[in-house]
Every structure is written in structure tokens, then in C-alpha cells.
Amino acid sequence: QVQLVESGGGLVQAGGSLRLSCAASGRTFSTYVMGWFRQAPGKVREFVAVISMSGGNTYYADSVKGRFTISRDNAKNTVYLQMNSLKPEDTAVYYCAANRRIVTFSPGEYDYWGQGTQVTVSS
């Protein structure tokens, strides 16, 4: 089992940047595929980015491709989401999630979730 704690959210102006972090408990972090998802008010949770166990493969939602970068440091049990050129439509609660089976954008495949961190982008 793994526990996930996100941090780094906040209020930023359009065009600005934020870096989210997700710290995981336990000594098996490198055996988990890690994903970032977001949920805006009144909307379903949506995929943002995913990174493989080794960090060698990453995939992004079209809406963030070229602006967001997912990375991980297995020695620090942490996954990151660097968000640049932020837009008001990026406003949401951002969640990190973990699973041991598959690199996927489907939230149903993830077994563990953090509590979320709020990102608000003002215009």
C-alpha cells in the first residue's frame, strides 16, 4: 500500500508556472506507475499525465501537451508536474495516483489517490 500527498498548488496568473509535487510513502515507489489527474467544479475527473515506473515513458493529455511536464525521482519517492503557460481553464483540483499494473490514462485503473491540491489560474 502507498500513501500519496500532493503539494505545490496555489493561485497564479495566466501565463505563469507552478510545480506540483506528490510524495509517496513506503519503499516500493519505483514499482508504481504514477499519474496526474484534475477535476474542475462540475466536471468529471480527467487525465493530465502519466509516467512509467522507470520514468522512461510519459504521456500527456492533448490539452496540456507542450506546457506540462511529468517527472519522477524514485530516490525521493516523489513525482512532479511542472506546469508552464498556465491558462484559466487549467483551474482544478489536481490529484496524483498510483497503480502497479499499467501505464494508462483511465482513472479507474489507479488504486491509490492523494487528497488533491488546488490550482487556480486567474485571467
Side-chain angles (χ1 to χ4, degrees):
Q1 191 168 355
V2 63
Q3 293 182 322
L4 305 173
V5 179
E6 302 97 335
S7 62
L11 174 64
V12 64
Q13 289 188 330
S17 298
L18 282 174
R19 188 176 83 154
L20 306 183
S21 299
C22 172
S25 64
R27 292 179 287 183
T28 59
F29 178 71
S30 63
T31 66
Y32 286 91
V33 171
M34 299 299 299
W36 283 98
F37 295 80
R38 66 187 182 186
Q39 188 166 17
K43 294 190 176 181
V44 299
R45 191 168 298 188
E46 66 173 2
F47 167 75
V48 175
V50 61
I51 188 166
S52 61
M53 297 174 188
S54 68
N57 292 293
T58 58
Y59 302 93
Y60 299 90
D62 287 343
S63 59
V64 307
K65 202 171 295 183
R67 299 188 298 123
F68 290 11
T69 302
I70 188 171
S71 62
R72 67 189 297 161
D73 185 337
N74 285 342
K76 295 183 178 179
N77 282 13
T78 302
V79 62
Y80 304 97
L81 186 69
Q82 178 67 44
M83 306 186 295
N84 298 329
S85 302
L86 282 161
K87 304 176 181 179
E89 51 263 45
D90 294 317
T91 295
V93 177
Y94 283 70
Y95 299 88
C96 68
N99 87 83
R100 276 178 142 168
R101 295 179 302 280
I102 186 171
V103 176
T104 177
F105 54 82
S106 173
E109 294 289 344
Y110 289 81
D111 303 304
Y112 305 103
W113 292 82
Q115 82 289 348
T117 186
Q118 176 71 47
V119 171
T120 303
V121 184
S122 63
S123 56

